[in-house]
Amino acid sequence: MIRLAGQERKTPPPVWPEDHYEVVCERDEPNGSTRDRYHFPQYAVHSARNLETAGLARRVRVVRLSDGVVIYDRVNGVDLPADEW
């Protein structure tokens, strides 16, 4: 590929939107913990509830990354309504 003088390679914009929520899944040993990130809160909470229902984790919580607020953690009785996500 030939570039003319003054032309610079531009970085394309990211394909995926920035993540705003993190699902922290604590499992028994030897599996340890996992962290998955989501852009939309409803997908994060849905994932957390499904992990618990399937019995794949002993504790799951959803954290809003912008301020560190836990929006879902059944073990500690946190389940914020959707308008507070």
Side-chain angles (χ1 to χ4, degrees), residues 14-62:
V15 176
W16 301 106
E18 183 179 343
D19 294 324
H20 297 287
Y21 299 88
E22 184 172 64
V23 176
V24 181
C25 179
E26 296 176 8
R27 297 184 169 108
D28 292 326
E29 293 300 329
N31 299 319
S33 297
T34 60
R35 294 174 180 268
D36 296 309
R37 292 189 168 189
Y38 294 85
H39 179 72
F40 297 107
Q42 61 269 29
Y43 296 143
V45 172
H46 182 72
S47 172
R49 288 179 179 153
N50 284 342
L51 286 164
E52 288 178 334
T53 301
L56 297 174
R58 59 183 164 87
R59 181 178 182 192
V60 181
R61 63 186 181 275
V62 179

